[in-house]
Amino acid sequence: MSSRERSPSTNRPRNHLVTDAAKPFEFVYQQYGKPAKIVVHQTPNEDTWPGGALWDIGVLLSHVMVGLGSGTLSSSFKSVSLPTRLFQAIESTNSNNKADWTVLELGCGVGLTGLVAAAVLGTQLTILTDLKVVVDKVTQPNVERNSVISAGGKHKPYRLMNTGKRGRVMAMPLCWGLEEDEKEVATILRQNTTTAAKPKSSRTSKKKKATKDHQCNKGVGIPQDDSSKPSLIIIGDVAYQHKPGAPSHFDALVSTLLKFLGHNTLVIFGTRMRMPASADLLGMFSKHMEECCAPIPADEIDQSFGKFKHQITVHVFRRRREGTIVPA
């Protein structure tokens, strides 16, 4: 163990809800009419900071997942309700049965949001990704403590407790912009995806669709079958490291995102405007994706945020359609 790991850390998340990164966090929700919970452990240690801590947006997006899973605007939390436009945006982008969904979380940290998504949506597969050190020391242990015993082995999905045959989840390293990691995640998605039944179509229409998919995704460097692209991509609070004048990790993030973005992929992005440069990522997203509804302030989802000057919003994106106007 290095001295950096042994020495007490002074790192504290600048949160309103979760203020101590040294304590486990218990997220309690209702499932099948009964209370259920996901417990994640955190660490303020420097070698995994800030990914080792749970941030407010992780809790907020977990509430969103519970709402999507229950199909209702209400929540087991009295202060929480989901705006109608959020449901309308999701149904207009991907109306498939959520049990047929696959979910990819980029920059998952402790993994709370992805674990909740796997549990309440009952997905085919949810993959939690972050830097290898975060996955090894924080994310994977949290997956294991919330799962039944797995057949195991490298890159074998775990099953979350009390989710039946669905709710499969796994943690994998994914460094944004690193093609080796991207290909490995893409392979796992393809191997673990069962495409929902679709109406039969003529051989001609299939050929046209295949040609169109190839043209839209040409050159992304990973397999181009759009059916194995995730149904939902979750990105939460990833703009905190970018300071004006400093090297940006945004280009790498956008590059990785586009490689996993299918025609019907829904992207739920939670962000906090900590500094002017935080708006840069939204602008970069808007060049490639369009918002499905107006941004949703945190206090519209959880009223407890109304007590703070939070500057947190949730955005719902989909791939930009041909012919739409790209913001200047």
Side-chain angles (χ1 to χ4, degrees):
M1 182 181 293
S2 69
S3 59
R4 290 174 68 186
E5 293 175 286
R6 288 194 301 266
S7 59
S9 174
T10 58
N11 287 326
R12 294 185 67 87
R14 295 182 179 179
N15 280 334
H16 301 300
L17 303 180
V18 186
T19 57
D20 189 349
K23 295 181 179 179
F25 181 85
E26 185 175 284
F27 184 85
V28 180
Y29 59 98
Q30 291 287 323
Q31 189 167 26
Y32 310 126
K34 298 179 180 179
K37 65 181 179 182
I38 297 289
V39 179
V40 292
H41 288 215
Q42 311 176 73
T43 174
N45 288 350
E46 192 66 33
D47 60 333
T48 56
W49 189 262
L54 175 62
W55 300 83
D56 283 348
I57 290 178
V59 180
L60 185 71
L61 293 182
S62 295
H63 287 310
V64 172
M65 296 302 121
V66 172
L68 298 184
S70 64
T72 176
L73 304 180
S74 63
S75 167
S76 53
F77 293 80
K78 292 182 179 179
S79 63
V80 178
S81 62
L82 301 187
T84 304
R85 68 181 185 276
L86 178 62
F87 285 92
Q88 293 173 336
I90 291 168
E91 288 302 313
S92 68
T93 303
N94 193 332
S95 59
N96 291 337
N97 186 341
K98 295 179 181 63
D100 293 322
W101 280 16
T102 52
V103 177
L104 174 66
E105 184 171 9
L106 300 176
C108 66
V110 300
L112 177 65
T113 305
L115 286 167
V116 172
V120 301
L121 300 179
T123 55
Q124 284 195 62
L125 178 66
T126 295
I127 302 181
L128 314 180
T129 67
D130 211 306
L131 296 174
K132 187 178 188 305
V133 64
V134 177
V135 169
D136 289 347
K137 295 186 176 183
V138 183
T139 317
Q140 181 62 29
N142 281 333
V143 168
E144 293 177 5
R145 64 175 43 97
N146 288 282
S147 303
V148 297
I149 297 176
S150 171
K154 184 180 180 182
H155 297 166
K156 294 292 184 181
Y158 286 72
R159 293 196 186 279
L160 291 176
M161 299 175 185
N162 305 317
T163 58
K165 296 181 179 180
R166 295 283 179 162
R168 299 190 304 164
V169 64
M170 59 194 302
M172 296 182 66
L174 176 52
C175 178
W176 301 330
L178 186 61
E179 188 173 358
E180 180 181 352
D181 285 356
E182 293 168 347
K183 285 184 175 180
E184 191 143 16
V185 172
T187 298
I188 295 298
L189 275 169
R190 190 171 64 256
Q191 291 174 345
N192 289 272
T193 298
T194 303
T195 306
K198 296 179 180 179
K200 293 182 179 180
S201 58
S202 67
R203 182 179 300 177
T204 302
S205 64
K206 287 182 179 179
K207 183 176 180 181
K208 288 181 178 179
K209 183 180 186 299
T211 301
K212 182 179 179 182
D213 287 350
H214 176 73
Q215 291 173 342
C216 289
N217 294 294
K218 186 177 181 181
V220 299
I222 58 178
Q224 307 307 320
D225 181 9
D226 199 65
S227 66
S228 63
K229 293 291 185 0
S231 313
L232 170 64
I233 296 176
I234 303 170
I235 309 173
D237 210 2
V238 294
Y240 45 80
Q241 291 177 321
H242 183 200
K243 298 179 181 179
S248 171
H249 59 282
F250 294 171
D251 289 330
L253 170 57
V254 172
S255 173
T256 293
L257 170 62
L258 292 178
K259 291 176 182 177
F260 291 97
L261 188 65
H263 298 295
N264 294 313
T265 300
L266 188 73
V267 178
I268 295 183
F269 173 52
T271 189
R272 180 177 179 181
M273 295 297 170
R274 289 184 169 86
M275 56 191 74
S278 297
D280 294 350
L281 186 56
L282 272 175
M284 294 173 72
F285 279 179
S286 296
K287 291 180 180 179
H288 304 281
M289 301 185 293
E290 56 190 9
E291 296 212 46
C292 303
C293 63
I296 305 168
D299 54 281
E300 273 195 46
I301 298 171
D302 185 345
Q303 295 175 11
S304 61
F305 279 95
K307 304 174 184 176
F308 316 109
K309 187 178 180 180
H310 55 78
Q311 294 184 302
I312 295 173
T313 49
V314 174
H315 303 255
V316 182
F317 287 103
R318 67 183 178 191
R319 192 185 194 102
R320 185 168 289 283
R321 272 37 174 179
E322 293 184 10
T324 57
I325 300 175
V326 179

